[in-house]
Structure formats: structure tokens, C-alpha cells
Amino acid sequence: MDLRITEIFLSIQGESTHAGRPCSFVRLTGCPMRCVWCDSAYTFTGGERFSFEDILAKLKEFGCNLVEITGGDPLAQKSVFPFISLLCDLGYEVLIETGGFFSTEKVDERAKIILDVKCPASGESERNYWANLERLRADKDEVKFVITDLNDWGFAKEIIEKYHLETCAKEILISPIFGVENLAEIAETVSRSGLKVRLNLQLHKYIWGANVHGV
Ligand code: SF4
């Protein structure tokens, strides 16, 4: 079996509660969404087919037990599901970063999901697949809201309350886009909310610059 891949690389996990940990990234090609602030548009087309064996060989070379499958949207390719299970069988700690359009139902239960909920300024909030929120596991899954302004934050708060995310998810990540002008105002607003959330800054961009793509 194989997967269409844009890149495989070793870096530091830049987001979520795993931020700062060395991590291998497998970035799959393709995504049906078109978020206006997307920093991974180069994954929409192209890529190269890699057999499972070739991907595993690369990961072995990196020697890192934490692996994130990202994209694009990694769940756009059906063969990702057996690949995730294979990684889990081999003892890897597996993170899945998904855009929230595809169902997470077939993801191996041993993998940890970081599920995006698209806010209005993304232009794609109508396409969130809400059933995914009902499948979250409180001991391992995280929900991420990328926000560009306080209107997005208001939307995030509504969804957090409506789906009881403070109890259903391990962590709720509030992720202002890199370079947002009113970051301090957003941070202060989040801190006063009384909600069990975490401000999530993209660590890799602070290290390597704004042009480093999302993970
Ligand atoms: S879901 Fe992710 S990869 Fe797809 S357009 Fe949105 S930000 Fe980009």
C-alpha cells in the first residue's frame, strides 16, 4: 500500500500539549478545504507516492518515537487508516492533525487526534463535521480553534459550550494566527474567559520564521 506524500521530516512539534517535543512529521498531499489563512497550500497538489515500507524506513532513520501525520488533511487518503494502525502496532506514539472535514471514526483508537474546528474567518466554518466532536476522548484528543479576531473567539466559545468540550476533550487549543496584530488583546480576553483552554502559539514559527509551514 502507499500514500501520496508532500514531505517527511524531523523537527520540533510546534503546537498542542506536545509542543517542544522532537517529532517526525509525515505530511500527506491533498485537502478539500480552502481556509483563507492556510499556510500549507503547497500540499494541495503534487506530492509523490511512497510505499508504507519507504515511509517506515525514513521514520526509522529519524529515530524519533513521536510521529505526527498531517497535511493537507491526512484523512483525505483512505490508505492512511491502515498506515496509522501499522505505526501504532510498531509502538510509535501517533498524533493525527486533521482539519475537521473528514470523519475521524476509522482512526485507530490508539492514535491521538488534534481536531481543528474551523472558525468563520477561515471561510470554511460551514464545512465542519460536527459528529467528530462527539467522538472526542477526554484522555487523549485535543481540539484546536485557529482564530484571527475576537469574532472567531466568540464562535469558539459558543462551540466549546455547546459541545461541552471542557470535559470531552483533553485540551482546547486557542491558536491565534501567526503575526495577528492584537495578540495581547486576544490573550487577555482568553485569560479572563474562565474557560479551561490553552493559548497555542506556533512554536516552530518563532524558531524558524513565519514561512515555516504549519504542522
Ligand atoms: S484544512 Fe488545513 S490544509 Fe486544508 S485548507 Fe484548511 S488549513 Fe489548509
Side-chain angles (χ1 to χ4, degrees):
M1 295 182 89
D2 63 12
L3 285 164
R4 184 165 285 279
I5 303 277
T6 295
E7 55 185 349
I8 306 175
F9 59 102
L10 176 67
S11 187
I12 293 291
Q13 174 58 256
E15 303 191 51
S16 79
T17 59
H18 304 278
R21 297 179 64 191
C23 183
S24 298
F25 293 87
V26 181
R27 191 187 296 285
L28 273 60
T29 307
C31 180
M33 310 266 265
R34 290 294 178 266
C35 304
V36 296
W37 38 253
C38 179
D39 60 1
S40 308
Y42 68 106
T43 65
F44 292 165
T45 54
E48 223 182 291
R49 292 221 160 263
F50 277 67
S51 67
F52 284 9
E53 291 73 22
D54 288 345
I55 305 169
L56 291 177
K58 200 83 184 145
L59 294 176
K60 198 171 172 193
E61 214 177 277
F62 293 155
C64 180
N65 191 57
L66 181 66
V67 178
E68 175 167 299
I69 313 291
T70 185
D73 195 315
L75 304 188
Q77 297 184 48
K78 288 198 172 57
S79 49
V80 77
F81 299 106
F83 184 67
I84 293 168
S85 295
L86 179 58
L87 289 178
C88 293
D89 289 347
L90 292 170
Y92 284 104
E93 181 180 354
V94 183
L95 308 178
I96 310 298
E97 167 76 44
T98 176
F101 174 77
F102 291 99
S103 171
T104 56
E105 198 175 0
K106 290 188 183 149
V107 174
D108 191 295
E109 61 181 19
R110 294 167 291 180
K112 299 170 182 172
I113 295 173
I114 302 163
L115 176 73
D116 286 9
V117 174
K118 301 302 182 192
C119 295
S122 70
E124 291 288 28
S125 59
E126 299 292 319
R127 300 174 81 191
N128 286 306
Y129 184 62
W130 298 112
N132 282 337
L133 294 178
E134 286 152 16
R135 254 193 300 277
L136 291 165
R137 291 130 341 142
D139 61 330
K140 58 173 75 167
D141 295 337
E142 306 185 20
V143 186
K144 181 169 81 178
F145 296 86
V146 175
I147 64 169
T148 59
D149 52 31
L150 292 175
N151 184 52
D152 277 352
W153 163 244
F155 175 84
K157 271 201 314 186
E158 271 174 35
I159 300 302
I160 290 166
E161 281 156 20
K162 181 173 177 188
Y163 289 91
H164 310 290
L165 297 183
E166 286 174 289
T167 49
C168 298
K170 180 182 171 200
E171 197 73 49
I172 301 165
L173 308 165
I174 304 299
S175 188
I177 56 165
F178 186 78
V180 71
E181 274 177 18
N182 58 340
L183 180 58
E185 187 188 8
I186 290 174
E188 282 158 23
T189 307
V190 169
S191 70
R192 284 195 301 267
S193 70
L195 291 173
K196 203 182 95 189
V197 296
R198 177 188 294 252
L199 193 69
N200 178 68
L201 301 180
Q202 295 171 296
L203 185 59
H204 48 291
K205 295 195 177 180
Y206 288 88
I207 301 172
W208 290 291
N211 292 331
V212 171
H213 305 293
V215 294

